């Protein structure tokens, strides 16, 4: 009995271990977005490339800065005294320009008083040119490409002048070379007005304060200031529209149109087969003398009258059927009609049959008028794609525009599409002959890029529009437009 109990216990433990060793399969769900035709047939809202903007023209994004604060001079030798003994007021005025959201430059004047190593008060003027780089240019941009907060380190060079240097004992020049550096923070109040705070430094020769040698850099001035910046001229940066959503929609539309065409060809074949079957039914009913009985079930509206190949049956339907089965090789010519099938009076009758009207000629390939127009070559496929040029040249304003040509070439080659290239110039500038030549150069430039990407020369058409004024601002007319069609 004990042996049985021990054996049963061991079996239970083994089953338990086996069950615990088995892995449990957990069901998982995966969600995929469903793209419907209702969504893809709608006009797309433009989206913009991240961290990409057009370069600013000379009439855009100039700014004027006015700041006030305090500065402290640390010379060589340093002299005695703490930081508060060295503090003096400072005024800064600058003018500059942002060439892109991240890159800018300015010329700034700083001046007032400073205390040298002997704590004698001296007047100075410092003018410098700075290179500025916005570290947060592409964060939280508005529709004009302007950030809410900007953190801008800068580095520059200039000349500094000590007005009281002649009273000192140093040697050398009183307007030595100097470096400028620092960090500026901006907060956008409005699109034109910014609040500024800046910590800046200046390093120049050791004799700037009229004490020490001029052979090395050693005198430094540090300034903490705050003020306002006002934008002059046009404000903001032009952002580049992302062409990929339009390319994807165009490719989907092509596949959708091809699917509709295949479906219509299939339905056309089915209608043709139904017409043939209906004609055979009418023939059989006519032979059997049953056409009048079933004519209400057949529609004759809009059908063409043709001469019947079969006589109207005025004898037994069974004999007629036997005659037809016995003469399967008959070619349908009334002159060679077998005797068993000839009519007694020899008069032929007429019969209504369906005429075969192509869906492509009468109903179109689809119920959607836009897709139908595209397949017929009456409408372009999707949205036109524009390439913009600098004034008076065939040089693109942004070289990254050419990536759109890669996608255009791929779609055109895949579906065998026609590519129309329309060059234009700005009629507000230049003469008529200059604009005609410019539009030709710009169209031929884009055409060459398409040919380099494998588009067949026979499918690329160029048009030279000359000077136009369709768009505002005027520089938008300096473009080449590319459209696709069947």
């Amino acid at each position: 009995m004990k042996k049985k109990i021990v054996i049963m216990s061991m079996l239970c433990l083994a089953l338990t271990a086996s069950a615990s060793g088995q892995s449990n399969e957990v069901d998982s769900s995966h969600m995929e977005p469903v793209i419907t035709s209702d969504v893809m047939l709608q006009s797309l809202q433009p989206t913009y490339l991240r961290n990409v903007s057009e370069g600013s023209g000379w009439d855009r994004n100039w700014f004027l800065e006015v700041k006030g604060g305090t500065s402290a001079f640390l010379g060589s030798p340093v002299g005695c005294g703490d930081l508060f003994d060295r503090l003096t007021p400072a005024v800064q005025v600058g003018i500059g320009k942002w060439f892109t959201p991240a890159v800018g430059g300015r010329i700034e004047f700083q001046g007032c008083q400073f205390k040298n190593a002997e704590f004698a008060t001296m007047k100075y003027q410092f003018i410098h040119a700075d290179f500025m780089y916005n570290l947060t240019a592409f964060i939280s941009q508005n529709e004009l490409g302007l950030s809410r907060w900007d953190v801008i380190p800068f580095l520059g060079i200039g000349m500094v002048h000590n007005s009281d240097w002649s009273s000192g004992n140093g040697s050398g020049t009183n307007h030595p070379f100097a470096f400028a550096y620092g960090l500026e923070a901006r907060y956008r109040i409005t699109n034109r007005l910014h609040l500024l705070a800046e910590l800046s430094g200046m390093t120049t020769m050791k004799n700037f304060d009229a004490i020490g040698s001029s052979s090395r850099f050693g005198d430094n001035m540090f300034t903490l200031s705050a003020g306002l910046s006002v934008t002059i001229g046009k404000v903001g940066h032009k952002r580049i529209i992302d062409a990929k959503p339009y390319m994807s929609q165009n490719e989907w539309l092509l596949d959708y149109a091809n699917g509709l065409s295949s479906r219509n060809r299939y339905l056309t074949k089915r209608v043709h087969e139904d017409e043939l079957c209906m004609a055979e039914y009418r023939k059989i009913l006519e032979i059997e003398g049953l056409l009048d009985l079933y004519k209400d079930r057949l529609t004759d509206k809009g059908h063409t009258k043709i001469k019947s190949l079969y006589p109207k049956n005025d004898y037994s339907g069974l004999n007629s059927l036997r005659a037809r089965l016995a003469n399967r090789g008959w070619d349908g010519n009334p002159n060679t009609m077998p005797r068993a099938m000839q009519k007694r009076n020899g008069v032929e009758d007429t019969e209504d049959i369906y005429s075969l009207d192509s869906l492509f000629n009468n109903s179109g390939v689809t119920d959607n008028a836009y897709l139908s127009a595209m397949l017929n070559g009456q409408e372009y496929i999707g949205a036109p794609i524009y390439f913009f040029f600098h004034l008076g040249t065939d040089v693109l304003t942004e070289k990254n525009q050419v990536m759109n040509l890669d996608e255009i070439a791929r779609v055109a080659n895949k579906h065998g599409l026609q590519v129309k290239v329309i060059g234009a110039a700005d009629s507000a500038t230049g003469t008529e002959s200059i604009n005609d030549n410019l539009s030709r150069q710009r169209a031929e430039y884009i055409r060459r890029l398409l040919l380099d990407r494998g588009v067949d020369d026979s499918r690329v058409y160029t048009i030279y529009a000359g000077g136009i004024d369709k768009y505002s601002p005027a520089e938008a007319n300096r473009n080449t437009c590319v459209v696709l069609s069947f």
Side-chain angles (χ1 to χ4, degrees):
M1 185 66 179
K2 292 181 179 180
K3 290 181 178 180
K4 292 181 178 179
I5 294 174
V6 172
I7 292 172
M8 293 295 291
S9 301
M10 293 178 66
L11 288 174
C12 291
L13 290 173
L15 292 173
T16 303
S18 177
S20 63
Q22 296 178 355
S23 60
N24 295 326
E25 295 184 358
V26 180
D27 292 336
S28 61
S29 60
H30 179 67
M31 298 181 63
E32 294 185 355
V34 178
I35 300 177
T36 64
S37 59
D38 292 339
V39 175
M40 295 302 291
L41 291 175
Q42 299 295 325
S43 298
L44 294 178
Q45 293 296 325
T47 57
Y48 298 92
L49 294 176
R50 186 177 182 183
N51 299 347
V52 179
S53 297
E54 292 186 13
S56 297
W58 289 103
D59 60 343
R60 185 180 293 270
N61 296 321
W62 290 89
F63 63 87
L64 177 65
E65 295 181 347
V66 177
K67 294 168 289 187
T70 183
S71 61
F73 180 79
L74 299 176
S76 177
V78 177
C80 300
D82 56 19
L83 176 64
F84 294 100
D85 293 332
R86 305 174 186 272
L87 294 180
T88 55
V91 176
Q92 296 171 323
V93 179
I95 185 170
K97 173 178 171 56
W98 287 103
F99 302 99
T100 71
V103 178
R106 73 178 178 187
I107 297 176
E108 186 174 77
F109 169 82
Q110 176 179 333
C112 200
Q113 298 176 342
F114 75 97
K115 295 181 180 179
N116 65 4
E118 297 175 351
F119 295 98
T121 300
M122 296 182 169
K123 297 179 181 180
Y124 75 99
Q125 299 84 37
F126 177 35
I127 185 168
H128 52 96
D130 301 330
F131 170 80
M132 310 173 73
Y133 188 82
N134 190 351
L135 299 177
T136 59
F138 298 102
I139 300 176
S140 300
Q141 287 185 332
N142 62 6
E143 67 281 359
L144 295 177
L146 302 177
S147 302
R148 176 61 66 180
W149 288 94
D150 298 311
V151 178
I152 308 168
F154 62 88
L155 179 65
I157 56 175
M159 302 292 288
V160 60
H161 173 69
N162 184 348
S163 301
D164 298 323
W165 185 86
S166 59
S167 62
N169 298 320
S171 62
T173 176
N174 66 340
H175 43 79
F177 177 81
F179 288 103
Y181 46 86
L183 182 69
E184 181 180 80
R186 298 195 314 173
Y187 174 75
R188 177 168 53 86
I189 302 174
T190 67
N191 290 335
R192 287 192 178 274
L193 186 63
H194 288 78
L195 182 64
L196 305 178
E198 181 180 300
L199 176 62
S200 61
M202 182 266 290
T203 298
T204 187
M205 300 298 180
K206 291 182 178 181
N207 73 330
F208 168 67
D209 60 345
I211 300 175
S213 172
S214 63
S215 60
R216 294 182 181 180
F217 288 96
D219 284 357
N220 305 281
M221 183 179 296
F222 299 97
T223 305
L224 180 64
S225 59
L228 294 173
S229 173
V230 179
T231 300
I232 304 171
K234 296 181 180 179
V235 180
H237 304 271
K238 295 181 180 179
R239 305 174 68 184
I240 303 299
I241 295 178
D242 188 359
K244 290 183 178 179
Y246 295 96
M247 294 292 183
S248 299
Q249 186 192 46
N250 290 345
E251 188 169 354
W252 183 92
L253 287 173
L254 289 173
D255 293 337
Y256 183 65
N258 291 334
L260 290 177
S261 298
S262 299
R263 178 65 176 169
N264 284 334
R265 286 192 294 269
Y266 168 75
L267 293 176
T268 301
K269 183 179 179 181
R270 288 289 303 273
V271 170
H272 178 64
E273 293 174 351
D274 291 344
E275 297 289 350
L276 294 177
C277 290
M278 184 64 69
E280 292 297 323
Y281 292 153
R282 294 176 64 84
K283 293 174 184 178
I284 294 173
L285 290 174
E286 183 181 8
I287 291 172
E288 300 301 330
L290 301 175
L291 184 59
D292 291 337
L293 181 62
Y294 292 99
K295 65 180 180 180
D296 293 338
R297 301 190 183 183
L298 302 174
T299 176
D300 296 330
K301 185 177 181 180
H303 296 158
T304 303
K305 294 282 187 177
I306 66 170
K307 291 188 176 182
S308 174
L309 301 179
Y310 298 97
K312 187 174 181 180
N313 185 21
D314 54 2
Y315 52 86
S316 172
L318 180 59
N319 292 336
S320 174
L321 180 58
R322 287 175 178 174
R324 293 186 66 206
L325 292 175
N327 297 276
R328 294 184 179 179
W330 178 53
D331 59 2
N333 189 343
N335 297 326
T336 62
M337 185 182 298
R339 183 175 299 176
M341 299 176 63
Q342 292 178 357
K343 294 187 65 174
R344 295 178 182 176
N345 56 9
V347 178
E348 294 182 347
D349 199 359
T350 57
E351 173 188 20
D352 290 332
I353 66 169
Y354 285 84
S355 62
L356 297 178
D357 295 326
S358 171
L359 290 176
F360 294 96
N361 295 332
N362 295 337
S363 302
V365 297
T366 174
D367 291 335
N368 187 288
Y370 175 58
L371 293 179
S372 177
M374 281 199 303
L375 291 176
N376 292 331
Q378 300 171 352
E379 289 286 348
Y380 300 135
I381 300 173
I385 300 170
Y386 289 87
F387 299 87
F388 297 96
F389 296 85
H390 287 294
L391 174 65
T393 70
D394 58 355
V395 179
L396 293 172
T397 57
E398 290 291 335
K399 291 186 177 180
N400 55 23
Q401 294 183 70
V402 299
M403 69 181 181
N404 294 337
L405 290 172
D406 298 332
E407 196 68 16
I408 293 174
R410 185 182 71 82
V411 173
N413 290 332
K414 178 178 179 181
H415 301 284
L417 302 177
Q418 304 294 327
V419 184
K420 183 179 290 186
V421 181
I422 306 170
D426 171 22
S427 63
T429 58
T431 63
E432 182 178 353
S433 61
I434 291 176
N435 288 334
D436 289 342
N437 188 44
L438 266 179
S439 66
R440 179 184 297 273
Q441 292 177 1
R442 290 167 179 172
E444 291 297 331
Y445 173 71
I446 297 299
R447 179 179 176 274
R448 290 197 302 272
L449 293 181
L450 289 171
L451 297 182
D452 293 342
R453 285 159 173 76
V455 181
D456 191 85
D457 189 17
S458 62
R459 292 191 284 108
V460 180
Y461 302 90
T462 54
I463 296 176
Y464 316 120
I468 63 173
D469 58 354
K470 295 182 179 179
Y471 309 106
S472 179
E475 53 264 34
N477 296 297
R478 304 162 193 159
N479 66 67
T480 291
C481 174
V482 177
V483 293
L484 302 175
S485 62
F486 284 103

